[in-house]
Amino acid sequence: MFQKRRLSLWEIWNLSFGFLGIQMGFALQNANASRILQSFGADVHELSWFWIVAPLTGLIIQPIVGHYSDKTWTRLGRRRPFFLTGALLASLGLVLMPNADMFTAIMPSLWVGAGMLMVMDASFNIAMEPFRALIADMLPSDQRTLGYSVQTVLIGIGAVIGSWLPYALTNWVGISNVAAAGEVPLNLLLSFIIGALVLVISVAVTVFTTKEYSPEEMAQLNAAEDSIEEEESTGGLMDIFTDFAKMPLTMRQLSWVQFFSWFGLFGLWVFTTPAIAEHIYGLDPNNSQSAAYQDAGDWVGILFGVYNGVSAVFAFFLPAIAKKVGRKKTHTISLVIGALGFLSIYIMPDENWLILSMIGIGIAWASILAMPYAILAGAIPARKMGVYMGIFNFFIVIPQIVNAFIGGPMVQYLYGGKPIYALMTSGVAFIIAALLVSRVQDIDDEPATI
């Protein structure tokens, strides 16, 4: 019987190399989108509302992309056309978002910027989940933890570059980080353009160095499974709803872990800049045009680079740790460390100490990017890998949508306008996620006896 071959480390590296560019762009978005929207006139308590369209779009797009990527075969293969398309669209959003003031003749720059945020985030989603499915497609079960860990390393490297780029352009190259009211500083404009170029190039590396299994080979791999399930499949989009209703138990259990994990992460991305500006720098979180606020925003980019850099390093150790203690315990401990990282932000005496907080968050981020997918891949049918990875994205975008609706009002009314408490809420969410990991059934995990 035809079997998947074991890939070399270099082949696995090329398999996921596009994620470096995707995450570089994603990091630029996460660290700077709120600041850009504030430059165009958004208030702090409105920020989460502007972010809501992006995960809502992902909620609709992801399962459709997954469904069709399971059933598509072109000259570029099965998954590659989708993440190449996503990369091109995301790069367009990266270029246009900080330049939204160019379109004021059509509509207010704030709304153009918010629209480009939607395009970017939706496009990142289009690119990300086929990459996740590609790992499961190409690697045998015993290499999947390594595959997702290598993917996490590349995610970390790309995110560090993206997070640090605005700071580096200002402090190492001398490009200004201050702009007139209603405009975006030049260091951010150039950072987003560079991010768009790296995104397209890195995805092209994966597209042209990876050869996917042919439909005939996949049919041989999935022959036994197809004989059991094919009669219940119509091949249409309505299958998505059937697949959702019949999702495996492990996936249902992981959904709650994902919900609280990504609820916490969304708070990090939306509120860190105003929270640090106010709580650490003593600034008005709504006065985003001042030089001091831009310095705080650049430092947040450094902090985001730290947590992503830590995730890249920690990802190297994840396969060995998971083999020793099991994937569930690895994920639980990592989430608890991340929660402590969030909660410690409140007591840090100055901006430099925040690096310690970000180390904790980085450890959790590495595990969030690897362990749930490694657990999930062993529990879902291989021939439906794409659609189930897309459906799994529900439990990434739904918590972001929930946080987007309630995060701003909570900051304004419950927290007295102090966004630092949104980060404390993220810490509590991570603790809940860690507790819920114990309920997850990991089908093909075989930890050593302790």
Side-chain angles (χ1 to χ4, degrees):
M1 177 180 286
F2 179 79
Q3 294 182 334
K4 295 179 184 178
R5 69 181 184 88
R6 295 178 62 81
L7 302 187
S8 69
L9 182 60
W10 183 247
E11 288 174 309
I12 295 173
W13 180 268
N14 284 336
L15 194 67
S16 293
F17 190 76
F19 241 122
L20 184 147
I22 291 172
Q23 198 63 31
M24 181 177 174
F26 198 50
L28 281 164
Q29 170 192 290
N30 290 341
N32 300 291
S34 288
R35 182 168 36 148
I36 290 172
L37 293 174
Q38 284 186 284
S39 296
F40 293 147
D43 291 328
V44 170
H45 66 273
E46 297 173 337
L47 289 175
S48 63
W49 297 341
F50 287 108
W51 282 74
I52 195 171
V53 181
L56 186 62
T57 306
L59 181 69
I60 299 169
I61 289 176
Q62 270 305 331
I64 296 174
V65 169
H67 173 81
Y68 281 112
S69 73
D70 280 340
K71 302 177 182 301
T72 296
W73 185 261
T74 69
R75 291 179 61 186
L76 284 178
R78 188 185 191 193
R79 312 292 184 190
R80 288 176 292 171
F82 290 91
F83 54 68
L84 179 59
T85 301
L88 293 173
L89 291 174
S91 64
L92 179 66
L94 282 166
V95 171
L96 294 182
M97 182 184 182
N99 289 291
D101 55 326
M102 293 169 30
F103 301 94
T104 52
I106 302 173
M107 65 178 64
S109 55
L110 176 59
W111 291 104
V112 176
M116 288 303 104
L117 175 62
M118 177 196 73
V119 170
M120 268 194 303
D121 204 77
S123 302
F124 287 137
N125 278 320
I126 291 173
M128 281 182 184
E129 297 311 314
F131 258 112
R132 302 286 191 194
L134 185 65
I135 290 290
D137 286 346
M138 299 296 295
L139 296 180
S141 178
D142 63 341
Q143 281 196 307
R144 283 176 182 164
T145 299
L146 174 62
Y148 287 116
S149 296
V150 168
Q151 202 169 80
T152 302
V153 171
L154 287 161
I155 286 171
I157 294 171
V160 169
I161 298 170
S163 298
W164 286 6
L165 191 55
Y167 180 93
L169 289 178
T170 296
N171 292 274
W172 302 346
V173 183
I175 295 172
S176 176
N177 68 346
V178 179
E183 297 181 2
V184 174
L186 182 59
N187 70 327
L188 285 185
L189 289 173
L190 292 177
S191 296
F192 274 61
I193 291 171
I194 293 170
L197 291 173
V198 173
L199 172 58
V200 173
I201 292 170
S202 64
V203 169
V205 169
T206 292
V207 168
F208 294 113
T209 62
T210 299
K211 182 179 184 297
E212 297 182 67
Y213 288 117
S214 69
E216 293 75 20
E217 290 169 328
M218 291 301 295
Q220 292 181 58
L221 285 168
N222 305 323
E225 176 188 294
D226 285 346
S227 65
I228 295 172
E229 298 185 17
E230 185 65 34
E231 63 181 4
E232 299 180 9
S233 175
T234 65
L237 272 178
M238 293 305 294
D239 281 352
I240 295 174
F241 299 98
T242 302
D243 293 333
F244 183 87
K246 295 182 177 181
M247 75 175 74
L249 176 63
T250 297
M251 188 171 174
R252 293 179 185 276
Q253 295 164 335
L254 279 170
S255 68
W256 288 103
V257 178
Q258 292 290 85
F259 180 92
F260 287 100
S261 300
W262 287 87
F263 184 95
L265 289 168
F266 189 80
L268 173 75
W269 298 328
V270 174
F271 293 111
T272 295
T273 296
I276 298 305
E278 180 187 45
H279 189 69
I280 302 296
Y281 285 78
L283 304 173
D284 179 355
N286 283 303
N287 183 17
S288 61
Q289 297 298 140
S290 69
Y293 195 96
Q294 295 301 323
D295 288 339
D298 287 347
W299 185 248
V300 168
I302 292 295
L303 295 175
F304 277 28
V306 168
Y307 89 71
N308 281 293
V310 168
S311 76
V313 174
F314 188 63
F316 279 110
F317 301 97
L318 277 173
I321 297 171
K323 185 176 181 180
K324 180 67 176 177
V325 305
R327 291 188 287 221
K328 287 172 55 177
K329 185 171 288 188
T330 300
H331 198 40
T332 298
I333 295 171
S334 299
L335 287 170
V336 170
I337 294 172
L340 295 175
F342 271 113
L343 298 175
S344 68
I345 294 173
Y346 190 84
I347 62 173
M348 291 305 178
D350 60 49
E351 66 273 16
N352 294 310
W353 279 92
L354 293 172
I355 292 173
L356 187 61
S357 301
M358 292 297 147
I359 290 173
I361 293 173
I363 289 172
W365 179 231
S367 189
I368 289 169
L369 291 173
M371 289 300 106
Y373 296 96
I375 294 170
L376 178 67
I380 58 181
R383 71 182 183 87
K384 290 182 176 288
M385 193 65 66
V387 69
Y388 271 124
M389 286 291 181
I391 291 172
F392 197 53
N393 195 61
F394 285 175
F395 312 117
I396 292 175
V397 298
I398 289 175
Q400 295 181 64
I401 293 169
V402 172
N403 198 335
F405 271 119
I406 70 175
M410 287 174 67
V411 169
Q412 184 177 15
Y413 300 111
L414 185 60
Y415 302 148
K418 295 185 178 298
I420 185 63
Y421 293 110
L423 301 187
M424 300 302 99
T425 302
S426 293
V428 173
F430 268 36
I431 291 174
I432 296 172
L435 294 173
L436 290 170
V437 174
S438 63
R439 300 175 60 249
V440 176
Q441 179 186 16
D442 189 352
I443 293 175
D444 62 351
D445 192 20
E446 296 180 1
T449 303
I450 302 174

